[in-house]
Amino acid sequence: MTNRPQSLRALPSIDAVLRAPAAAALRARTGPARLTTLARTITEELRAELQAHAVAGTPTNGAGTRATLLAEAVNRLERAVAHEMAGALRRVINATGVILHTNLGRAPLSQAARQAVGQEAAGYCTLEYDLATGARGRRGAQVEALLMELTGAEAALVVNNCAAAALLVLTTLAQGSACLVSRGELVEIGGDFRVPDVMAQSGAQMIEVGTTNRTKLADYERALVGAETKLILRVHPSNYRIVGFTQAPALADLAALAHAHDLILYEDAGSGVLTDLSALGLCDEPIIRDSITQGADIVSFSGDKLLGATQAGLVVGRRALVERCRKHPLYRALRADKLALAALAATLDAHRRDAAVEEVPTLRMLAQTQGELARRARAFVRRARTRTNGLSFALIAGQSAVGGGSAPTTHPPTTLIALTQQQVSATALEAALRQAPLPIIARIVADRVVLDLRTVTSAEEAELLAALAAMPSAGA
């Protein structure tokens, strides 16, 4: 009991913690107000621990106690700042081989899109300004024109993501009315977003037709009897496939049925494929132009998946329907900002010039062959063996993934670089890469850390090599 008051008297003041050289160096990173808040929290924690005799290693003499507690407070302050900085948005190297890695921001932007965002849209720009007339222009007009040209649709608009597009379309066109949807298309995507939930939020009355694996045109016809239906919803199951004993009506047949009953056919196409990508191994994703040609009245899809741009929900279709969506009050709450529109315009321009596979990173990564990846991996390992200490390398056959809820059955073959280090577990090695100054995100296969160069650009290889060279040796 005699030591406790003395220890409490030795507790450093907030001012003493902030005057410490190590703490002063943190001020520019956090700002003085935030640093003071953290210092106050830490001193209160220390006070509570001292009262509970919980600060280990605290000496009993006053001077030693004071120095130990100050050092501990500054230590904790540094850790708290580091933890906050780790939570900030940071660039990483994606060595997982998952091209559209949702947790890592999905599609990386092309050089043209980065330039458009950083140079044209970052400051003042012609977001809603017509240079020819000096009058107010229409937001997103360039992107809409590109979408119409690439899809053959009469009109287009852009909102901030594909879920927002579905909510806007259903609210505008089906609120208060019945909407038919196959039971096999009541999907859930990442983040607990479910089609039934968004339909309920829109005010549309969902009527399920068919079964999970088989839905026939006759199922839709029977559901029309006695129902005040305005819309048929077709949802592409982007992140899963039902195989085996399955059936679904062709889109053209569904369109014919809808139009015979004066209904709207709406397709939520998901990933947003603008051209035939079968040469890249993608054979089961709907091409938006085909959906329009086959009779879909309105189609929504994503900007940051296979299209290869930024997060956005793209809506194309009949002019009268798209304009109804544009005039709905919800559109203003959901519309895209200038940065997204700039990136979209640059990416869509590459698609229009038939240069997307060369210029858009998502498609360029998909286009890499196993032979090309094997050559890159062998060359990388040769360089790595001369620069790293204690790491062992092996090349193994593996598979990449499209990711992002797209093409779940497509797994492009690749060559993986397997890393091992004596006396270091795969979990610890993966964590060390992840916590490097430039984080390297890898995966673990068969108790080995593996790197897939499919998602590592040639320019990033030098940074990846430097990170491996900086890894501490086992036991160091």
Side-chain angles (χ1 to χ4, degrees):
M1 294 294 293
T2 58
N3 288 331
R4 186 170 65 175
Q6 185 174 348
S7 296
L8 286 173
R9 284 196 297 272
L11 186 70
S13 66
I14 296 170
D15 187 55
V17 174
L18 293 173
R19 284 200 312 269
L26 300 173
R27 190 170 290 110
R29 299 172 65 186
T30 66
R34 180 58 184 162
L35 197 65
T36 300
T37 299
L38 290 173
R40 180 178 294 111
T41 300
I42 286 164
T43 54
E44 289 304 315
E45 288 174 354
L46 285 172
R47 183 187 305 279
E49 291 172 22
L50 285 169
Q51 289 173 333
H53 300 283
V55 179
T58 303
T60 56
N61 64 81
T65 302
R66 188 174 297 109
T68 299
L69 289 174
L70 179 59
E72 176 65 17
V74 173
N75 231 349
R76 294 189 186 191
L77 187 62
E78 289 179 309
R79 292 200 301 269
V81 172
H83 179 74
E84 289 196 350
M85 296 300 292
L89 196 65
R90 296 176 60 189
R91 175 184 165 231
V92 303
I93 291 180
N94 175 16
T96 66
V98 180
I99 298 171
L100 298 172
H101 199 306
T102 298
N103 296 343
L104 302 182
R106 287 190 180 161
L109 296 181
S110 68
Q111 189 58 41
R114 296 181 190 202
Q115 182 175 344
V117 170
Q119 296 183 19
E120 305 299 335
Y124 294 119
C125 62
T126 55
L127 178 64
E128 294 183 5
Y129 187 82
D130 188 329
L131 289 173
T133 64
R136 181 169 183 167
R138 192 173 77 194
R139 177 186 292 243
Q142 181 191 10
V143 171
E144 291 172 8
L146 286 165
L147 286 169
M148 291 159 59
E149 180 180 347
L150 288 164
T151 66
E154 295 177 355
L157 60 78
V158 183
V159 291
N160 56 26
N161 63 35
C162 203
L167 179 63
L168 176 62
V169 170
L170 291 169
T171 302
T172 303
L173 304 180
Q175 189 175 51
S177 301
C179 175
L180 309 187
V181 60
S182 168
R183 286 186 173 89
E185 298 170 6
L186 297 177
V187 302
E188 176 181 325
I189 62 174
D192 295 329
F193 171 83
R194 295 180 172 185
V195 167
D197 294 340
V198 75
M199 291 185 72
Q201 188 65 39
S202 73
Q205 176 193 353
M206 181 178 68
I207 297 182
E208 303 175 28
V209 301
T211 63
T212 301
N213 60 318
R214 288 173 66 85
T215 300
K216 306 173 184 178
L217 199 63
D219 294 321
Y220 290 93
E221 290 180 296
R222 281 193 296 271
L224 291 173
V225 178
E228 192 174 324
T229 306
K230 281 191 178 179
L231 185 144
I232 295 177
L233 170 61
R234 168 77 162 254
V235 181
H236 176 61
S238 296
N239 57 1
Y240 76 99
R241 295 291 183 270
I242 298 176
V243 298
F245 189 55
T246 64
Q247 182 178 349
L251 186 64
D253 293 336
L254 204 53
L257 175 67
H259 299 157
H261 291 81
D262 198 26
L263 305 179
I264 298 166
L265 176 59
Y266 165 39
E267 182 178 36
D268 182 351
S271 297
V273 175
L274 294 180
T275 55
D276 184 2
L277 299 179
S278 58
L280 306 184
L282 296 175
C283 302
D284 55 357
E285 294 291 327
I287 300 171
I288 307 303
R289 178 178 285 276
D290 290 349
S291 296
I292 296 295
T293 301
Q294 292 166 19
D297 298 298
I298 194 161
V299 182
S300 63
F301 54 103
S302 294
D304 60 347
K305 294 184 180 178
L306 292 172
L307 190 146
T310 187
Q311 177 179 292
L314 311 177
V315 180
V316 299
R318 286 169 41 200
R319 180 171 289 105
L321 300 179
V322 172
E323 291 308 314
R324 282 175 60 185
C325 292
R326 191 191 308 278
K327 292 175 183 177
H328 195 284
L330 192 57
Y331 167 65
R332 183 175 180 85
L334 301 176
R335 66 184 183 177
D337 75 335
K338 61 180 182 177
L339 303 181
L341 290 170
L344 279 166
T347 307
L348 290 169
D349 180 65
H351 282 274
R352 179 176 63 176
R353 292 184 286 104
D354 291 328
V357 174
E358 294 78 26
E359 296 181 12
V360 176
T362 295
L363 300 183
R364 191 168 63 236
M365 291 172 184
L366 269 174
Q368 292 179 93
T369 66
Q370 186 176 19
E372 291 169 341
L373 290 164
R375 286 191 291 273
R376 286 184 63 195
R378 285 195 296 268
F380 183 88
V381 167
R382 282 196 300 269
R383 296 195 303 272
R385 282 174 174 154
T386 65
R387 293 190 54 182
T388 57
N389 183 23
L391 284 174
S392 297
F393 299 86
L395 298 181
I396 58 175
Q399 293 181 325
S400 305
V402 178
S406 302
T409 59
T410 301
H411 299 285
T414 188
T415 296
L416 302 173
I417 302 170
L419 306 178
T420 54
Q421 189 174 35
Q422 283 190 343
Q423 301 177 347
V424 177
S425 68
T427 302
L429 186 56
E430 182 274 334
L433 288 170
R434 178 166 29 89
Q435 294 162 11
L438 173 57
I440 311 299
I441 312 302
R443 56 191 172 104
I444 297 175
V445 174
D447 204 33
R448 288 189 290 184
V449 173
V450 297
L451 309 174
D452 188 343
L453 295 184
R454 185 183 294 276
T455 49
V456 179
T457 67
S458 297
E460 290 174 328
E461 284 190 26
E463 295 174 302
L464 177 56
L465 188 59
L468 295 177
M471 296 287 292
S473 301

